[in-house]
Protein backbone atom coordinates (compact mmCIF):
# COMPACT_ATOMS: atom_id res chain seq x y z
CA UNK A 1 0.00 0.00 0.00
CA UNK A 2 1.21 3.49 -0.86
CA UNK A 3 1.54 6.20 1.75
CA UNK A 4 -0.12 9.54 1.00
CA UNK A 5 2.42 12.34 0.64
CA UNK A 6 0.14 15.36 0.65
CA UNK A 7 -2.19 17.39 2.82
CA UNK A 8 -5.11 18.38 0.60
CA UNK A 9 -7.71 20.87 1.81
CA UNK A 10 -10.22 23.29 0.38
CA UNK A 11 -8.93 26.84 0.17
CA UNK A 12 -11.21 28.91 2.38
CA UNK A 13 -9.75 32.20 1.15
CA UNK A 14 -10.27 31.57 -2.58
CA UNK A 15 -13.53 30.03 -3.88
CA UNK A 16 -13.23 26.69 -5.66
CA UNK A 17 -9.54 26.30 -5.02
CA UNK A 18 -7.51 23.46 -3.49
CA UNK A 19 -4.40 23.77 -1.36
CA UNK A 20 -1.79 21.04 -1.83
CA UNK A 21 1.09 20.79 0.62
CA UNK A 22 3.60 18.00 1.17
CA UNK A 23 3.49 16.39 4.61
CA UNK A 24 6.43 17.41 6.80
CA UNK A 25 7.39 13.78 7.35
CA UNK A 26 7.73 13.11 3.60
CA UNK A 27 11.18 13.49 2.06
CA UNK A 28 10.34 12.20 -1.44
CA UNK A 29 6.97 12.39 -3.19
CA UNK A 30 6.19 9.39 -5.37
CA UNK A 31 6.02 9.89 -9.13
CA UNK A 32 2.39 8.74 -9.32
CA UNK A 33 1.30 11.26 -6.70
CA UNK A 34 3.23 14.08 -8.36
CA UNK A 35 1.52 13.26 -11.64
CA UNK A 36 -1.92 13.15 -10.03
CA UNK A 37 -1.30 16.44 -8.24
CA UNK A 38 -0.32 18.23 -11.45
CA UNK A 39 -3.22 16.77 -13.44
CA UNK A 40 -5.75 17.84 -10.82
CA UNK A 41 -4.28 21.35 -10.75
CA UNK A 42 -4.53 21.64 -14.55
CA UNK A 43 -8.02 20.16 -14.61
CA UNK A 44 -9.18 22.58 -11.92
CA UNK A 45 -7.97 25.56 -13.98
CA UNK A 46 -10.03 24.38 -16.98
CA UNK A 47 -13.09 23.56 -14.88
CA UNK A 48 -13.13 26.97 -13.19
CA UNK A 49 -12.93 28.77 -16.51
CA UNK A 50 -15.37 26.46 -18.32
CA UNK A 51 -18.10 26.63 -15.68
CA UNK A 52 -17.52 30.15 -14.32
CA UNK A 53 -21.05 31.16 -15.35
CA UNK A 54 -22.74 28.04 -13.97
CA UNK A 55 -21.99 27.92 -10.21
CA UNK A 56 -23.89 24.69 -9.57
CA UNK A 57 -21.92 22.73 -12.16
CA UNK A 58 -18.70 24.35 -11.01
CA UNK A 59 -19.32 23.27 -7.43
CA UNK A 60 -20.24 19.77 -8.59
CA UNK A 61 -17.00 19.22 -10.50
CA UNK A 62 -14.90 21.00 -7.88
CA UNK A 63 -16.21 18.63 -5.20
CA UNK A 64 -15.31 15.63 -7.35
CA UNK A 65 -11.81 16.93 -7.94
CA UNK A 66 -11.30 17.58 -4.22
CA UNK A 67 -12.49 14.05 -3.39
CA UNK A 68 -10.19 12.49 -6.02
CA UNK A 69 -7.23 14.49 -4.74
CA UNK A 70 -7.83 13.50 -1.14
CA UNK A 71 -8.35 9.82 -2.01
CA UNK A 72 -5.19 9.61 -4.10
CA UNK A 73 -2.81 11.79 -2.11
CA UNK A 74 -3.77 11.92 1.58
CA UNK A 75 -4.38 8.49 3.25
CA UNK A 76 -1.53 7.40 5.52
CA UNK A 77 -1.54 3.73 4.57
CA UNK A 78 -3.82 3.31 1.58
CA UNK A 79 -3.43 6.15 -0.89
CA UNK A 80 -4.72 5.27 -4.36
CA UNK A 81 -3.12 7.68 -6.87
CA UNK A 82 -3.55 5.31 -9.83
CA UNK A 83 -7.24 4.77 -9.17
CA UNK A 84 -7.76 8.49 -8.63
CA UNK A 85 -5.87 9.27 -11.83
CA UNK A 86 -8.04 6.86 -13.83
CA UNK A 87 -11.16 8.36 -12.27
CA UNK A 88 -9.87 11.82 -13.20
CA UNK A 89 -9.54 10.76 -16.84
CA UNK A 90 -13.13 9.54 -16.75
CA UNK A 91 -14.24 12.85 -15.27
CA UNK A 92 -12.43 14.76 -18.03
CA UNK A 93 -14.01 12.51 -20.67
CA UNK A 94 -17.44 13.25 -19.17
CA UNK A 95 -16.81 17.00 -19.36
CA UNK A 96 -15.55 16.71 -22.95
CA UNK A 97 -18.65 14.77 -23.94
CA UNK A 98 -20.85 17.35 -22.24
CA UNK A 99 -19.22 20.58 -23.39
CA UNK A 100 -17.18 19.94 -26.56
CA UNK A 101 -20.11 20.28 -28.97
CA UNK A 102 -21.26 23.51 -27.36
CA UNK A 103 -17.76 25.01 -27.29
CA UNK A 104 -16.93 24.04 -30.88
CA UNK A 105 -20.24 25.20 -32.32
CA UNK A 106 -20.07 28.51 -30.45
CA UNK A 107 -16.55 29.22 -31.70
CA UNK A 108 -17.47 28.04 -35.21
CA UNK A 109 -20.43 30.44 -35.32
CA UNK A 110 -18.35 33.30 -33.90
CA UNK A 111 -15.60 32.71 -36.45
CA UNK A 112 -18.14 32.60 -39.27
CA UNK A 113 -19.88 35.79 -38.16
CA UNK A 114 -16.59 37.65 -37.80
CA UNK A 115 -15.52 36.42 -41.24
CA UNK A 116 -18.80 37.71 -42.70
CA UNK A 117 -18.34 41.02 -40.87
CA UNK A 118 -14.83 41.47 -42.29
CA UNK A 119 -15.55 40.02 -45.71
CA UNK A 120 -19.00 41.13 -46.87
CA UNK A 121 -18.28 44.88 -47.20
CA UNK A 122 -15.10 44.09 -49.15
CA UNK A 123 -17.00 41.60 -51.31
CA UNK A 124 -19.63 44.23 -52.14
CA UNK A 125 -16.90 46.66 -53.21
CA UNK A 126 -15.24 43.99 -55.36
CA UNK A 127 -18.51 42.99 -57.04
CA UNK A 128 -19.37 46.64 -57.66
CA UNK A 129 -16.04 47.20 -59.38
CA UNK A 130 -16.51 44.07 -61.51
CA UNK A 131 -20.01 45.16 -62.50
CA UNK A 132 -18.77 48.58 -63.62
CA UNK A 133 -15.88 46.90 -65.45
CA UNK A 134 -18.25 44.84 -67.59
CA UNK A 135 -20.19 47.93 -68.67
CA UNK A 136 -17.45 50.57 -68.88
CA UNK A 137 -14.14 50.05 -70.63
CA UNK A 138 -11.97 52.79 -69.14
CA UNK A 139 -8.30 52.36 -68.19
CA UNK A 140 -8.95 53.29 -64.59
CA UNK A 141 -11.74 50.70 -64.40
CA UNK A 142 -9.41 48.08 -65.87
CA UNK A 143 -6.90 48.83 -63.13
CA UNK A 144 -9.61 48.68 -60.49
CA UNK A 145 -10.73 45.33 -61.90
CA UNK A 146 -7.24 43.97 -61.23
CA UNK A 147 -7.42 45.41 -57.71
CA UNK A 148 -10.83 43.80 -57.15
CA UNK A 149 -9.29 40.36 -57.61
CA UNK A 150 -7.08 41.05 -54.60
CA UNK A 151 -10.25 41.87 -52.70
CA UNK A 152 -11.65 38.50 -53.75
CA UNK A 153 -8.52 36.86 -52.35
CA UNK A 154 -9.14 38.63 -49.02
CA UNK A 155 -12.76 37.46 -48.83
CA UNK A 156 -11.95 33.92 -49.94
CA UNK A 157 -9.12 33.57 -47.42
CA UNK A 158 -11.60 34.33 -44.62
CA UNK A 159 -13.82 31.53 -45.89
CA UNK A 160 -10.73 29.31 -45.93
CA UNK A 161 -9.98 30.09 -42.28
CA UNK A 162 -13.55 29.15 -41.34
CA UNK A 163 -13.33 25.90 -43.29
CA UNK A 164 -9.89 25.20 -41.82
CA UNK A 165 -11.23 25.27 -38.27
CA UNK A 166 -14.01 22.83 -39.12
CA UNK A 167 -11.55 20.47 -40.82
CA UNK A 168 -8.86 20.63 -38.11
CA UNK A 169 -10.91 20.56 -34.93
CA UNK A 170 -12.98 17.43 -35.46
CA UNK A 171 -12.56 16.43 -31.80
CA UNK A 172 -11.57 18.80 -29.00
CA UNK A 173 -9.18 17.81 -26.24
CA UNK A 174 -9.94 18.70 -22.63
CA UNK A 175 -7.57 21.69 -22.64
CA UNK A 176 -9.09 22.98 -25.90
CA UNK A 177 -12.44 23.42 -24.19
CA UNK A 178 -11.12 26.73 -22.82
CA UNK A 179 -8.21 27.41 -25.20
CA UNK A 180 -9.52 26.23 -28.54
CA UNK A 181 -6.57 27.52 -30.58
CA UNK A 182 -2.97 26.93 -29.55
CA UNK A 183 -1.81 30.41 -30.54
CA UNK A 184 -4.65 31.98 -28.50
CA UNK A 185 -5.53 34.51 -31.20
CA UNK A 186 -9.02 35.94 -31.04
CA UNK A 187 -11.22 35.24 -34.10
CA UNK A 188 -11.00 38.79 -35.50
CA UNK A 189 -7.22 38.96 -35.05
CA UNK A 190 -6.81 35.54 -36.66
CA UNK A 191 -8.94 36.50 -39.65
CA UNK A 192 -7.16 39.82 -40.20
CA UNK A 193 -3.75 38.17 -39.86
CA UNK A 194 -4.56 35.44 -42.40
CA UNK A 195 -6.21 37.96 -44.73
CA UNK A 196 -3.11 40.18 -44.74
CA UNK A 197 -0.87 37.15 -45.31
CA UNK A 198 -3.10 36.11 -48.23
CA UNK A 199 -2.77 39.58 -49.76
CA UNK A 200 1.02 39.40 -49.43
CA UNK A 201 1.02 36.08 -51.25
CA UNK A 202 -1.26 37.59 -53.89
CA UNK A 203 1.34 40.25 -54.61
CA UNK A 204 3.99 37.55 -54.94
CA UNK A 205 1.69 35.64 -57.31
CA UNK A 206 1.01 38.84 -59.27
CA UNK A 207 4.73 39.50 -59.75
CA UNK A 208 5.34 35.78 -60.38
CA UNK A 209 7.84 35.59 -57.53
CA UNK A 210 5.91 32.45 -56.64
CA UNK A 211 4.06 30.41 -59.26
CA UNK A 212 1.68 27.63 -58.29
CA UNK A 213 -0.37 25.44 -60.57
CA UNK A 214 -3.31 23.14 -59.87
CA UNK A 215 -4.27 21.31 -63.03
CA UNK A 216 -4.95 24.06 -65.58
CA UNK A 217 -5.25 26.77 -62.91
CA UNK A 218 -2.21 28.96 -62.33
CA UNK A 219 -1.47 31.84 -59.99
CA UNK A 220 -0.28 33.74 -63.07
CA UNK A 221 -3.93 34.54 -63.82
CA UNK A 222 -4.86 35.59 -60.30
CA UNK A 223 -5.39 39.23 -61.32
CA UNK A 224 -7.29 38.51 -64.55
CA UNK A 225 -9.53 35.65 -63.45
CA UNK A 226 -11.77 36.21 -60.42
CA UNK A 227 -12.44 32.50 -59.98
CA UNK A 228 -8.70 31.81 -59.79
CA UNK A 229 -8.39 34.53 -57.16
CA UNK A 230 -11.20 32.99 -55.11
CA UNK A 231 -9.78 29.45 -55.39
CA UNK A 232 -6.30 30.42 -54.25
CA UNK A 233 -7.74 32.70 -51.58
CA UNK A 234 -9.63 29.76 -50.06
CA UNK A 235 -6.50 27.58 -50.25
CA UNK A 236 -4.46 30.26 -48.48
CA UNK A 237 -7.07 30.41 -45.72
CA UNK A 238 -7.08 26.64 -45.40
CA UNK A 239 -3.29 26.77 -45.05
CA UNK A 240 -3.45 29.37 -42.27
CA UNK A 241 -1.01 27.42 -40.11
CA UNK A 242 1.66 27.45 -42.83
CA UNK A 243 1.43 30.69 -44.78
CA UNK A 244 3.04 32.84 -42.08
CA UNK A 245 5.99 30.45 -41.85
CA UNK A 246 6.28 30.24 -45.64
CA UNK A 247 6.27 34.01 -46.07
CA UNK A 248 8.91 34.43 -43.37
CA UNK A 249 11.03 31.73 -44.99
CA UNK A 250 10.69 33.45 -48.38
CA UNK A 251 11.77 36.81 -46.92
CA UNK A 252 14.67 35.23 -45.06
CA UNK A 253 15.97 33.45 -48.14
CA UNK A 254 15.74 36.73 -50.08
CA UNK A 255 17.86 38.73 -47.65
CA UNK A 256 20.31 35.90 -47.02
CA UNK A 257 21.32 36.15 -50.66
CA UNK A 258 22.42 39.80 -50.24
Amino acid sequence: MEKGCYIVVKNEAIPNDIIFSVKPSISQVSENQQKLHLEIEKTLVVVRKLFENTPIELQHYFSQLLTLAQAGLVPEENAQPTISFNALQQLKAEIIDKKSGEVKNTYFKTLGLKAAYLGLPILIVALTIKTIYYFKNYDIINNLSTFSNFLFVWCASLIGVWLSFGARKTVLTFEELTTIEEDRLEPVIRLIFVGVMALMFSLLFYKEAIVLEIGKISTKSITTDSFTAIIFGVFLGLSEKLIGQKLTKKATSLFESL
Side-chain angles (χ1 to χ4, degrees):
M1 296 296 180
E2 189 168 341
K3 182 177 181 179
C5 301
Y6 287 85
I7 298 171
V8 179
V9 296
K10 180 180 178 181
N11 190 342
E12 299 299 338
I14 302 176
N16 302 307
D17 188 39
I18 300 174
I19 297 175
F20 296 85
S21 56
V22 178
K23 295 177 180 178
S25 59
I26 299 298
S27 58
Q28 180 66 41
V29 178
S30 71
E31 184 177 343
N32 283 342
Q33 292 189 45
Q34 289 183 49
K35 183 178 180 181
L36 177 61
H37 170 208
L38 292 175
E39 282 297 316
I40 289 177
E41 290 268 34
K42 290 191 292 185
T43 303
L44 183 57
V45 170
V46 174
V47 165
R48 281 196 302 233
K49 187 174 181 180
L50 191 61
F51 297 103
E52 61 183 349
N53 296 321
T54 53
I56 295 177
E57 288 184 296
L58 175 57
Q59 186 59 44
H60 169 70
Y61 288 112
F62 171 76
S63 297
Q64 291 193 55
L65 288 173
L66 180 60
T67 299
L68 289 174
Q70 290 175 336
L73 303 174
V74 174
E76 284 292 333
E77 302 295 336
N78 193 26
Q80 300 288 344
T82 301
I83 293 176
S84 289
F85 185 82
N86 292 336
L88 178 63
Q89 299 309 306
Q90 290 296 320
L91 180 64
K92 290 165 69 174
E94 176 189 326
I95 295 174
I96 290 173
D97 185 60
K98 183 175 184 178
K99 298 293 289 186
S100 61
E102 175 188 336
V103 170
K104 180 175 179 178
N105 288 329
T106 299
Y107 186 85
F108 207 25
K109 290 175 184 177
T110 300
L111 192 63
L113 289 172
K114 298 299 183 183
Y117 175 78
L118 293 171
L120 280 177
I122 304 300
L123 180 61
I124 291 171
V125 172
L127 290 174
T128 301
I129 293 172
K130 283 295 182 183
T131 302
I132 297 173
Y133 170 73
Y134 282 115
F135 290 100
K136 301 291 184 179
N137 190 20
Y138 301 134
D139 288 340
I140 188 172
I141 298 300
N142 292 339
N143 293 333
L144 285 175
S145 177
T146 298
F147 173 71
S148 69
N149 282 356
F150 289 107
L151 300 183
F152 283 130
V153 170
W154 168 276
C155 298
S157 69
L158 304 185
I159 295 174
V161 173
W162 186 70
L163 293 174
S164 172
F165 174 79
R168 288 184 293 108
K169 300 294 184 179
T170 53
V171 178
L172 299 182
T173 64
F174 183 74
E175 288 72 20
E176 287 174 338
L177 293 177
T178 54
T179 308
I180 202 164
E181 294 285 9
E182 293 178 2
D183 54 19
R184 291 173 169 78
L185 287 179
E186 295 179 1
V188 171
I189 303 300
R190 174 179 301 282
L191 291 164
I192 292 174
F193 172 75
V194 175
V196 172
M197 288 292 102
L199 289 177
M200 294 301 299
F201 269 96
S202 298
L203 292 173
L204 293 172
F205 295 155
Y206 174 54
K207 291 299 183 180
E208 297 186 13
I210 298 175
V211 177
L212 302 176
E213 294 184 352
I214 304 173
K216 297 181 179 181
I217 304 173
S218 172
T219 53
K220 293 180 180 179
S221 59
I222 197 168
T223 55
T224 57
D225 186 345
S226 299
F227 291 107
T228 298
I230 292 170
I231 289 169
F232 280 103
V234 171
F235 284 165
L236 287 167
L238 284 168
S239 305
E240 59 168 312
K241 296 294 184 180
L242 296 175
I243 59 175
Q245 299 173 16
K246 294 296 183 182
L247 188 61
T248 302
K249 184 177 180 181
K250 188 71 175 177
T252 301
S253 63
L254 173 65
F255 288 102
E256 282 180 346
S257 63
L258 295 178

